[in-house]
Amino acid sequence: MKNKLEKLRADFLQELGQVKNSEYLRELELKYLSRKGELSLIMGELKDLSVDLRREVGELANKIKVELQTRFEEVSRQLAEGSIKKELIDVTLPGETLADGHLSPITLVQNELEDLFNSLGFMILDGPELESDYYNFTALNMPPTHPARDMQDTFYLDHKNKEGQYDLVMRTQTSPVQIRSMQKYGAPLKAIIPGRCFRCEATDARHEHTFYQVEGIMIDKNINFSHLKSLLEIVGQRLFGAGTKLRMRPKFFPFVEPGNNGEYTCFLCQGKGCRVCKYTGWLEIVGAGLIHPDVLRAGGIDPEVYSGLAFGFGLNRLAMLKYNISDVRLFNSGDLKFLEQF
Ligand code: PHE
């Protein structure tokens, strides 16, 4: 019991030494000195001791009680007088500055395209990343077993329809939103659709399983190839400078007819040929074409009345070219050394 008392004394004095405000002092009083405090508890045990011991320990307990109370009152008085430094918060001290975040280069290019197309009267739309096989392929003229499906290695979800076919995919392109937006808004329609896409790629410096595209569609009466050409020219000049030229070469995409690959003069060598353009002078950046009549029909639009154009930019590709980024895998790496440069 003597030990208990000594320990209580030491604890109390130690805590008392840290008192900086009256709330804390009051807490100490309750914990140690009040009627139900620790000191009273120990003193309550005195009655169980032998008479001799009781006298000895009782004396010690009383001595400690007096000492603790005196020290308590001293501190209490000092606190009231202000001779103990109260806890101070200096509101004029400068705060901790939080580092600003950085927009990813993909977002920067996306913002630039959104600004441009907004100024041309295009809506900016969105679509689901988890897509049905129907919207991602079938409605775009790629029914099951169509060989063009091989152009896009696909992540299917482990989910089958009533016929036993896998019917949900991580979208391989933003093109399914062409159909969705036609169904929702009808014609005429002008929209771009930026978004994330997925393909089951073996990754390397130019291929990534998760990447971004910006789809564009424009549907109205008498939309023709010259509209497509001028739109793509405007984009090239906006992103890569006024002197940028466009060349369009035929390419097969099942959902456009005719279809083509849009290529821009290499911004680095101005068409002379260099490492970036693989010495061709041209950079392949956008798939495009006039929307196939069946695709318009799938979207509920009459191809006898309306025609349309569609294009799809690879956003990672655009950002790589614009900011001279050599490896597409950097975008998903989460590496701050990379991101903080933008
Ligand atoms: N969706 C095509 C792709 O991912 C690009 C494209 C879009 C082509 C629109 C034509 C029209 O390769």
Side-chain angles (χ1 to χ4, degrees), residues 152 172-173 175 178 199 213 215 253 255-256 287-289 310-312:
Q152 303 181 353
T172 58
Q173 48 186 351
S175 303
Q178 287 187 27
R199 289 188 202 176
Q213 292 190 337
E215 193 83 8
F253 297 101
F255 35 95
V256 285
F311 53 84

Short mmCIF file of all heavy atoms in Angstrom, two decimals, residues 152 172-173 175 178 199 213 215 253 255-256 287-289 310-312, ligand 1:
data_model
loop_
_atom_site.label_atom_id
_atom_site.label_comp_id
_atom_site.label_asym_id
_atom_site.label_seq_id
_atom_site.Cartn_x
_atom_site.Cartn_y
_atom_site.Cartn_z
N GLN A 152 -10.10 -5.62 -82.02
CA GLN A 152 -10.11 -5.08 -80.66
C GLN A 152 -10.16 -6.22 -79.64
O GLN A 152 -11.20 -6.82 -79.42
CB GLN A 152 -11.33 -4.17 -80.48
CG GLN A 152 -11.34 -3.03 -81.50
CD GLN A 152 -12.51 -2.10 -81.33
OE1 GLN A 152 -13.41 -2.35 -80.54
NE2 GLN A 152 -12.49 -1.03 -82.09
N THR A 172 -14.41 -1.17 -75.62
CA THR A 172 -13.12 -1.13 -76.30
C THR A 172 -12.92 0.19 -77.03
O THR A 172 -11.87 0.44 -77.60
CB THR A 172 -13.03 -2.27 -77.33
OG1 THR A 172 -14.12 -2.11 -78.25
CG2 THR A 172 -13.16 -3.62 -76.65
N GLN A 173 -13.96 1.00 -77.08
CA GLN A 173 -13.93 2.26 -77.83
C GLN A 173 -15.07 3.15 -77.30
O GLN A 173 -15.98 2.66 -76.62
CB GLN A 173 -14.14 1.98 -79.32
CG GLN A 173 -15.33 1.06 -79.59
CD GLN A 173 -15.47 0.64 -81.03
OE1 GLN A 173 -14.78 1.15 -81.89
NE2 GLN A 173 -16.36 -0.29 -81.30
N SER A 175 -17.09 4.56 -79.35
CA SER A 175 -18.12 4.54 -80.41
C SER A 175 -19.50 4.06 -79.96
O SER A 175 -20.51 4.51 -80.52
CB SER A 175 -17.64 3.70 -81.59
OG SER A 175 -16.41 4.22 -82.07
N GLN A 178 -22.03 6.65 -79.63
CA GLN A 178 -22.70 7.18 -80.83
C GLN A 178 -24.16 6.75 -80.82
O GLN A 178 -25.07 7.56 -80.95
CB GLN A 178 -22.05 6.61 -82.10
CG GLN A 178 -20.69 7.16 -82.46
CD GLN A 178 -20.24 6.64 -83.83
OE1 GLN A 178 -21.07 6.31 -84.69
NE2 GLN A 178 -18.94 6.56 -84.04
N ARG A 199 -8.72 -2.46 -73.51
CA ARG A 199 -8.48 -3.59 -74.40
C ARG A 199 -7.48 -4.53 -73.77
O ARG A 199 -6.59 -4.10 -73.04
CB ARG A 199 -7.94 -3.10 -75.76
CG ARG A 199 -9.02 -2.40 -76.56
CD ARG A 199 -8.61 -2.07 -77.98
NE ARG A 199 -9.47 -0.98 -78.47
CZ ARG A 199 -9.34 -0.40 -79.64
NH1 ARG A 199 -8.39 -0.79 -80.47
NH2 ARG A 199 -10.16 0.58 -80.00
N GLN A 213 -10.21 7.87 -75.25
CA GLN A 213 -10.55 8.32 -76.60
C GLN A 213 -11.46 9.55 -76.51
O GLN A 213 -12.07 9.80 -75.47
CB GLN A 213 -11.31 7.23 -77.37
CG GLN A 213 -10.47 6.01 -77.71
CD GLN A 213 -11.18 5.06 -78.66
OE1 GLN A 213 -12.41 5.06 -78.76
NE2 GLN A 213 -10.41 4.25 -79.36
N GLU A 215 -14.59 10.60 -78.88
CA GLU A 215 -15.43 10.31 -80.03
C GLU A 215 -16.10 11.61 -80.46
O GLU A 215 -16.36 12.49 -79.63
CB GLU A 215 -16.52 9.32 -79.58
CG GLU A 215 -17.28 8.67 -80.69
CD GLU A 215 -16.51 7.47 -81.25
OE1 GLU A 215 -15.48 7.08 -80.67
OE2 GLU A 215 -16.96 6.95 -82.28
N PHE A 253 -13.45 0.68 -91.07
CA PHE A 253 -14.12 0.53 -89.77
C PHE A 253 -15.55 0.14 -90.11
O PHE A 253 -16.18 0.81 -90.95
CB PHE A 253 -14.15 1.85 -88.99
CG PHE A 253 -12.78 2.37 -88.61
CD1 PHE A 253 -12.21 3.40 -89.35
CD2 PHE A 253 -12.10 1.88 -87.51
CE1 PHE A 253 -10.97 3.90 -89.00
CE2 PHE A 253 -10.86 2.38 -87.15
CZ PHE A 253 -10.29 3.40 -87.90
N PHE A 255 -18.36 0.62 -88.92
CA PHE A 255 -19.47 1.53 -88.62
C PHE A 255 -19.42 2.83 -89.40
O PHE A 255 -20.24 3.73 -89.18
CB PHE A 255 -19.56 1.81 -87.12
CG PHE A 255 -18.21 1.86 -86.44
CD1 PHE A 255 -17.57 3.07 -86.24
CD2 PHE A 255 -17.59 0.70 -86.02
CE1 PHE A 255 -16.33 3.11 -85.63
CE2 PHE A 255 -16.34 0.73 -85.41
CZ PHE A 255 -15.70 1.94 -85.22
N VAL A 256 -18.45 2.97 -90.30
CA VAL A 256 -18.43 4.14 -91.18
C VAL A 256 -18.24 3.70 -92.62
O VAL A 256 -17.67 2.65 -92.89
CB VAL A 256 -17.30 5.14 -90.79
CG1 VAL A 256 -17.65 5.91 -89.54
CG2 VAL A 256 -15.97 4.43 -90.63
N GLY A 287 -9.33 7.90 -86.25
CA GLY A 287 -10.13 7.10 -87.16
C GLY A 287 -11.41 7.87 -87.43
O GLY A 287 -11.95 8.51 -86.54
N ALA A 288 -11.89 7.83 -88.67
CA ALA A 288 -13.05 8.66 -88.97
C ALA A 288 -13.80 8.15 -90.19
O ALA A 288 -13.35 7.22 -90.86
CB ALA A 288 -12.61 10.10 -89.20
N GLY A 289 -14.94 8.77 -90.48
CA GLY A 289 -15.69 8.40 -91.67
C GLY A 289 -17.10 8.95 -91.61
O GLY A 289 -17.47 9.66 -90.67
N ALA A 310 -18.41 10.72 -88.18
CA ALA A 310 -17.94 10.30 -86.86
C ALA A 310 -16.42 10.22 -86.88
O ALA A 310 -15.82 9.96 -87.93
CB ALA A 310 -18.52 8.93 -86.49
N PHE A 311 -15.82 10.50 -85.75
CA PHE A 311 -14.37 10.34 -85.65
C PHE A 311 -14.02 9.92 -84.23
O PHE A 311 -14.79 10.13 -83.29
CB PHE A 311 -13.64 11.65 -86.02
CG PHE A 311 -14.11 12.86 -85.25
CD1 PHE A 311 -13.59 13.15 -83.99
CD2 PHE A 311 -15.06 13.71 -85.80
CE1 PHE A 311 -14.02 14.25 -83.30
CE2 PHE A 311 -15.50 14.82 -85.10
CZ PHE A 311 -14.99 15.11 -83.85
N GLY A 312 -12.85 9.29 -84.10
CA GLY A 312 -12.41 8.88 -82.78
C GLY A 312 -10.92 9.13 -82.61
O GLY A 312 -10.10 8.55 -83.32
N1 PHE B 1 -13.69 3.49 -82.67
C1 PHE B 1 -12.59 3.44 -83.61
C2 PHE B 1 -11.39 2.79 -82.90
O1 PHE B 1 -11.37 2.75 -81.70
C3 PHE B 1 -12.25 4.82 -84.12
C4 PHE B 1 -13.32 5.41 -84.98
C5 PHE B 1 -14.28 6.22 -84.44
C6 PHE B 1 -13.33 5.18 -86.35
C7 PHE B 1 -15.28 6.78 -85.22
C8 PHE B 1 -14.30 5.73 -87.14
C9 PHE B 1 -15.27 6.54 -86.59
O2 PHE B 1 -10.45 2.34 -83.53
#
